[in-house]
Amino acid sequence: MTFDAAHYTAQLQDKVTRLRDLLAPFDAPEPQVFDSPLQHFRLRAEFRLWREAGERHYAMFSQDDKRTPILIEEFPIASQRINQLMPQLKAAWQASAALSHKLFQVEFLTTLAGDAMITLCYHRPLDEHWHTAANKLAADLNVSIIGRSKGKRDVIGHDYVVEKLEVGGRTFSYRQPEGAFTQPNGTVNQKMLNWAYEALGERPDDLLELYCGNGNFTLPLATRVRKVLATEISKTSVNAALSNLDENAVGNVNLVRLSAEELTEALNDVRPFRRLHGIDLKSYEFGSVFVDPPRAGMDPDTCELTRRFDNILYISCNPQTLAANVAQLHDTHRITRCALFDQFPWTHHMESGVLLTRR
């Protein structure tokens, strides 16, 4: 891959054009554009291992050919920390049968703050020889190590990394667990958080947040409103979000483990949920809703739920489903802000955001 700045600029402009065209029927303003570093922007990476000439090598496969490996020595789109760790880890498994025996996959998770975790996946149980070698490896590389084998997990150090991001002049600390979703491009994530922080503005009322994950947006947005009701269905993400709220002393958030569809039912008095015990939904004065849904976008009922709010702040990883949701809301809300976040340079994927306000 070549990392030509002119090529990147042209590709980014193509994305701007695509987003502009998708949102043109809704009279969207010109998008703000937030670019990415050309290299070393990706904070996580996953590699299969491939044996050749008696050695294991990092390998990836193209979408079109899952049988022919692409052997890799370095990975320029990954963080500098990952590129630093790759040869060190390879040298360690080459020197240690305890580390290399039936090792078939390696995963790296790093942060802008410099924290790092390596997950080693095996087709065998992990024994004391592995633990001895892995403990030394973790100390030598200054990383946490997780060993996985047949549904079992062995943790050396922590099963998470810690990220620090500056939003609105304040530094927030984020615990990011192994196996949970995190934004892959930390630099662009920080830009995205600051855009959402500014778009929401300081408000005297309350915020509903759907799909809150580990609290990526929850932490800074909670400082802009009276209180927040946030929902997330993943137990791992909920536990991380609760830790992050506590670590950052953000005390005006109630977090419930409900899907967006379940919360819609609760707010519509369709049925009660024990997980809402002790939370008085009627005490909230919601003026805004924040959504960051999966690629499928919001289902029609959840989309209808958001129509109740004066302000809908929407982050999307799929501009097509964003446009479909905006079409459903267009008769009552208009786009007043629009942004493109280049989370995934050198691909056709893009992240976007809109603020919709009641007409």
Side-chain angles (χ1 to χ4, degrees):
M1 175 184 283
T2 59
F3 297 93
D4 178 68
H7 181 202
Y8 174 75
T9 300
Q11 188 183 67
L12 182 58
Q13 186 55 50
D14 285 344
K15 294 181 182 182
V16 174
T17 301
R18 281 171 48 212
L19 182 63
R20 185 190 294 130
D21 291 347
L22 278 167
L23 299 182
F26 315 113
D27 300 318
E30 184 68 11
Q32 291 178 261
V33 180
F34 297 90
D35 63 357
S36 169
L38 274 62
Q39 298 186 55
H40 303 309
F41 52 81
R42 189 172 178 85
L43 295 176
R44 62 176 190 253
E46 176 182 307
F47 303 100
R48 294 301 297 264
L49 297 191
W50 189 266
R51 288 184 68 91
E52 188 168 288
E55 292 187 3
R56 283 178 172 82
H57 302 271
Y58 296 106
M60 301 184 83
F61 296 83
S62 71
Q63 291 289 338
D64 302 326
D65 183 356
K66 297 298 186 182
R67 294 178 177 274
T68 307
I70 302 167
L71 302 186
I72 294 171
E73 294 298 327
E74 57 182 17
F75 197 46
I77 68 170
S79 68
Q80 290 181 326
R81 183 81 166 108
I82 290 175
N83 280 276
Q84 173 194 36
L85 289 169
M86 286 175 66
Q88 295 174 335
L89 176 61
K90 185 174 182 179
W93 82 55
Q94 286 177 333
S96 169
L99 290 175
S100 64
H101 183 49
K102 294 195 175 181
L103 175 65
F104 71 93
Q105 184 166 300
V106 173
E107 301 166 12
F108 295 92
L109 180 61
T110 61
T111 68
L112 295 176
D115 207 357
M117 176 171 60
I118 300 173
T119 301
L120 305 174
C121 304
Y122 291 87
H123 286 311
R124 68 174 177 93
L126 301 180
D127 55 20
E128 286 304 313
H129 297 293
W130 180 86
H131 280 276
T132 299
N135 272 286
K136 182 178 185 305
L137 178 65
D140 289 346
L141 301 186
N142 190 27
V143 299
S144 292
I145 297 283
I146 295 180
R148 285 194 171 273
S149 64
K150 293 184 179 178
K152 294 186 178 181
R153 189 177 74 148
D154 293 76
V155 179
I156 297 169
H158 300 292
D159 65 348
Y160 59 86
V161 292
V162 175
E163 181 62 284
K164 294 186 182 295
L165 300 173
E166 186 170 318
V167 186
R170 175 177 171 179
T171 300
F172 293 91
S173 177
Y174 293 90
R175 181 177 294 194
Q176 300 180 341
E178 187 245 0
F181 174 79
T182 54
Q183 296 287 348
N185 190 324
T187 301
V188 175
N189 182 37
Q190 187 163 257
K191 294 177 180 181
M192 193 161 60
L193 291 172
N194 277 282
W195 179 86
Y197 177 90
E198 291 298 327
L200 180 63
E202 192 165 353
R203 301 189 54 83
D205 49 18
D206 303 328
L207 174 70
L208 175 66
E209 181 182 4
L210 309 179
Y211 323 96
C212 78
N214 72 341
N216 185 50
F217 287 93
T218 317
L219 300 182
L221 295 186
T223 68
R224 302 293 261 172
V225 297
R226 191 175 66 117
K227 58 182 181 176
V228 178
L229 178 65
T231 70
E232 171 57 47
I233 193 62
S234 161
K235 284 185 179 180
T236 301
S237 294
V238 166
N239 290 335
L242 291 171
S243 292
N244 291 335
L245 291 168
D246 183 60
E247 173 69 22
N248 291 275
V250 175
N252 63 335
V253 177
N254 274 320
L255 176 59
V256 292
R257 195 173 68 81
L258 292 173
S259 68
E261 294 81 1
E262 288 172 329
L263 184 69
T264 299
E265 292 182 345
L267 291 173
N268 288 336
D269 292 323
V270 172
R271 65 187 177 107
F273 289 88
R274 282 180 294 176
R275 282 166 282 174
L276 283 168
H277 179 72
I279 296 176
D280 181 8
L281 292 179
K282 291 182 170 50
S283 71
Y284 286 87
E285 298 174 8
F286 292 119
S288 307
V289 60
F290 175 79
V291 297
D292 183 10
R295 289 190 61 79
M298 291 189 288
D299 67 274
D301 288 343
T302 302
C303 200
E304 280 303 304
L305 171 68
T306 65
R307 191 192 297 278
R308 301 180 186 182
F309 304 94
D310 289 339
N311 304 294
I312 305 167
L313 190 54
Y314 191 143
I315 297 291
S316 170
C317 60
N318 185 342
Q320 281 77 24
T321 55
L322 169 65
N325 285 157
V326 171
Q328 185 175 339
L329 298 164
H330 186 54
D331 58 333
T332 56
H333 288 73
R334 63 189 181 89
I335 300 176
T336 54
R337 288 198 187 203
C338 177
L340 186 152
F341 310 100
D342 199 19
Q343 275 272 2
F344 309 99
W346 313 114
T347 77
H348 71 281
H349 296 291
M350 61 177 163
E351 201 102 353
S352 53
V354 295
L355 174 66
L356 298 116
T357 57
R358 190 177 299 282
R359 293 183 181 278

